[in-house]
Amino acid sequence: MARRAQPERTCVGCRRRAPAGDLLRVIAVGDGAGHSLRPDPNRRMPGRGANMHPDPACFALAVRRRAFGRALRVTGVLDDGELAEHIDAPTTTSGQPDRARVASRVGRPT
């Protein structure tokens, strides 16, 4: 039985490539005051998306490098509060793999 190739994406935090299913899709939603980052675990929300490992270390790197603005092609200050809560949640009901399994795939300690 032939295996189908899985699409690969690059994490905006650590810049490593991984299967799209292992990464969390993030979108920017505009409101009156600016844009806020929202997790899209089901990968169904409309608009341009950025991908990152569901790992606080990758999130911190992406924020420090201001990678979300470039990846999402958004100018101005981005509110990352909702995304930070999603990343820091001990258990997610989003269907995303747990952080220990993802970290072991990319060769990082948990």
Side-chain angles (χ1 to χ4, degrees):
M1 181 174 233
R3 293 183 70 178
R4 292 179 53 163
Q6 290 185 342
E8 285 193 343
R9 302 287 184 261
T10 302
C11 173
V12 295
C14 67
R15 305 291 299 155
R16 291 186 181 165
R17 293 188 61 80
D22 291 349
L23 300 174
L24 174 66
R25 182 173 185 259
V26 177
I27 63 164
V29 177
D31 55 13
H35 288 85
S36 61
L37 298 174
R38 301 263 172 87
D40 182 16
N42 296 326
R43 308 180 80 77
R44 298 283 182 256
M45 292 178 153
R48 186 174 186 83
N51 295 283
M52 64 173 277
H53 291 105
D55 180 11
C58 286
F59 175 69
L61 275 171
V63 169
R64 189 182 72 190
R65 293 178 48 241
R66 299 181 187 148
F68 289 114
R70 284 192 305 276
L72 298 170
R73 297 182 183 168
V74 175
T75 58
V77 178
L78 298 172
D79 176 23
D80 58 11
E82 186 174 338
L83 180 59
E85 289 176 13
H86 181 82
I87 296 294
D88 290 336
T91 57
T92 61
T93 57
S94 64
Q96 287 293 317
D98 67 322
R99 285 183 266 188
R101 191 166 26 134
V102 171
S104 68
R105 287 185 187 162
V106 295
R108 273 194 248 136
T110 56

